[in-house]
Amino acid sequence: MKQLFINIRQLVGVQQPAQPLRGEALGQLPLLENAYLQVVDGRIASFGAMSEVTTDMLHEASNIIDAAGRLLLPGFVDSHTHLVFAGTREAEFVLKLQGASYAAIAAAGGGIHSTAAKVQAASEDALYEAAWQRLQALMKTGTTAIEIKSGYGLTLEAELKMLRVIQRLKQTAPIPIKATFLGAHALPKNFADNRDAFVDALIQHWLPKVADEGLADFVDVFCEAGFFTPEETIRIARAAAALWMPAKLHVNQLQVSGGVQAAVAVNALSADHLECMDEAAIQTLAGSNTIGTMLPTAAFFLRLPYPPARQLIAAGAALALASDYNPGSSPSGYMQWVLALACIQMKMTPAEAINAMTINAAFALQLEEEVGSIAVGKRANLLLTKPMSGVDFMAYAFGEQHIEQVYINGLPV
């Protein structure tokens, strides 16, 4: 099947970098004016100036999409989500509005533990159906590759159940999905008085079981005070690496925790959150191959400081953006809102933010050969905007729906 996009006002993100973008390169978003793009069997086959379109290309196309006045750009890559969960937590939302902190709600039995109880009680089919509905909604708003974590099980059985749901989503969804085992999300209640025993169980029993069933691509640890220490995080990440599961770690969300240093020490693929950063953490991240993934919607929802994007960019860190979609601290996977917050609150340029949520996010999932930019051979996971002047308008007019049509493997969603 051959499709042809013609008269594209701007074809955005025309690049295939060998490494994640950082520093000045993050702000460079290559594009072609008045362009075409050809799709063959769901992959980008060619692109270029409209003057290069031949009569044969027009005749051979089974579908021609006239994109006059519109932008065509790579689909969003959401590299940090908790899409599989049961129930919602709007009651805790009200408590937060009344002044309760995230840590206080968790200490009172809310937060992660409240969702875990619902996940433990839910059937695999129920979890799958709810996650499938969420995923379909996200695809329609522009998410064309995604990471999904476990972590709301807090028992081996429930964690495996969540990972099997993600496995089913991988098998049925038309977009790339990566699974992350977040067994170390919170301390299970039955280990409340013996955290060393839990870490030992996680390393000696849980991780091998996950690896034996091939259920996870990555491992994650919630490295924060009251959850897991940098030392515990390093132990777990190294055990997972021995089982061919690289680390993608929650760090420095609630305080300067040493989590960034732990992530770099284990050569983590990404260090995620970064709301609380000191100069040592910034320089450690910038001097590493670890991608810093910022989650501005979580900071917005929890009224936390935003990650210091400008300082991180100036230091030379490789950065990605993601939604952190979850029921407690970021109950939205709307990536256009991530884009707006990154620009308005974190002072990223639209070009920097688009790169961070496309090609750099693809690197953060080891999907850079499949998605994240306009390059021959990549999946035709594309966003066709409404008529507009350029990508700057997408961040500037933050309350609007700017995507006219999402294409996944060349097909409209």
Side-chain angles (χ1 to χ4, degrees):
M1 182 177 179
K2 293 184 178 180
Q3 296 151 284
L4 190 64
F5 293 83
I6 60 172
N7 300 319
I8 304 165
R9 179 169 188 160
Q10 290 182 345
L11 182 61
V12 179
V14 180
Q15 58 186 331
Q16 193 165 12
Q19 300 175 1
L21 302 174
R22 58 178 76 217
E24 291 184 4
L26 187 65
Q28 298 170 6
L29 188 60
L31 57 84
L32 295 177
E33 304 271 2
N34 190 27
Y36 82 91
L37 182 139
Q38 184 184 48
V39 177
V40 177
D41 296 333
R43 299 270 174 173
I44 298 172
S46 67
F47 56 85
M50 272 302 297
S51 59
E52 299 170 3
V53 175
T54 67
T55 302
D56 286 345
M57 289 168 63
L58 292 169
H59 287 163
E60 292 172 0
S62 54
N63 186 29
I64 296 175
I65 301 100
D66 190 344
R70 295 159 174 81
L71 316 183
L72 191 67
L73 62 154
F76 299 133
V77 178
D78 195 347
S79 62
H80 182 126
T81 83
H82 305 253
L83 191 69
V84 176
F85 58 86
T88 55
R89 284 164 37 193
E90 62 271 26
E92 294 177 16
F93 170 67
V94 175
L95 290 175
K96 292 187 184 83
L97 296 178
Q98 294 170 340
S101 70
Y102 182 91
I105 290 171
I112 295 166
H113 283 283
S114 66
T115 298
K118 296 169 185 173
V119 167
Q120 291 165 13
S123 69
E124 182 179 313
D125 286 344
L127 288 172
Y128 170 80
E129 183 58 32
W132 176 242
Q133 294 300 322
R134 294 181 196 115
L135 185 60
Q136 287 184 303
L138 294 182
M139 289 189 292
K140 290 177 182 177
T141 61
T143 296
T144 63
I146 196 168
E147 180 254 24
I148 307 174
K149 303 178 188 295
S150 68
Y152 290 124
L154 300 187
T155 68
L156 177 57
E157 293 75 16
E159 289 291 313
L160 292 173
K161 178 169 62 176
M162 292 186 72
L163 290 169
R164 289 171 184 140
V165 168
I166 301 170
Q167 187 93 313
R168 288 173 64 181
L169 292 171
K170 283 186 175 188
Q171 294 166 354
T172 54
I175 67 173
I177 296 175
K178 292 285 189 171
T180 299
F181 172 51
L182 180 53
H185 199 187
L187 199 64
K189 291 180 179 179
N190 58 318
F191 285 96
D193 298 323
N194 197 346
R195 61 184 305 111
D196 288 343
F198 175 65
V199 174
D200 288 343
L202 191 72
I203 290 171
Q204 296 170 15
H205 303 294
W206 295 31
L207 276 170
K209 181 65 173 175
V210 171
D212 286 346
E213 294 195 29
L215 292 175
D217 302 292
F218 311 117
V219 71
D220 193 356
V221 180
F222 193 16
C223 182
E224 295 285 350
F227 295 88
F228 295 91
T229 68
E231 294 75 20
E232 291 165 342
T233 298
I234 288 171
R235 282 189 63 203
I236 295 166
R238 285 178 174 165
L243 297 170
W244 305 103
M245 284 182 274
K248 288 173 58 66
L249 302 175
H250 278 69
V251 301
N252 288 51
Q253 179 184 15
L254 306 177
Q255 64 275 307
V256 177
S257 64
V260 168
Q261 287 84 346
V264 171
V266 298
N267 197 29
L269 190 58
S270 68
D272 300 12
H273 272 293
L274 313 182
E275 285 90 337
C276 301
M277 297 286 282
D278 61 8
E279 188 62 22
I282 290 172
Q283 293 301 325
T284 297
L285 185 63
S288 75
N289 293 322
T290 298
I291 297 169
T293 299
M294 304 175 296
L295 312 170
T297 46
F300 168 78
F301 191 77
L302 295 177
R303 290 172 291 171
L304 295 173
Y306 286 90
R310 291 261 53 95
Q311 293 96 311
L312 285 161
I313 292 169
L319 299 176
L321 287 164
S323 76
D324 195 19
Y325 188 10
N326 75 83
S329 60
S330 186
S332 170
Y334 189 48
M335 292 293 278
Q336 289 183 69
W337 181 230
V338 173
L339 169 63
L341 284 177
C343 296
I344 297 166
Q345 295 296 334
M346 294 160 53
K347 300 182 181 180
M348 297 180 76
T349 67
E352 289 169 340
I354 292 289
N355 275 327
M357 58 203 302
T358 55
I359 187 58
N360 272 16
F363 273 105
L365 293 182
Q366 298 180 329
L367 285 172
E368 67 274 10
E369 297 298 324
E370 284 288 301
V371 294
S373 68
I374 304 299
V376 171
K378 287 194 174 184
R379 291 178 184 242
N381 289 6
L382 307 165
L383 308 181
L384 183 66
T385 71
K386 296 176 181 178
M388 65 177 65
S389 58
V391 294
D392 293 354
F393 186 77
M394 293 180 69
Y396 160 77
F398 64 88
E400 298 183 25
Q401 166 59 265
H402 295 297
I403 298 171
E404 184 172 288
Q405 184 65 62
V406 178
Y407 294 86
I408 294 175
N409 302 319
L411 300 177
V413 175

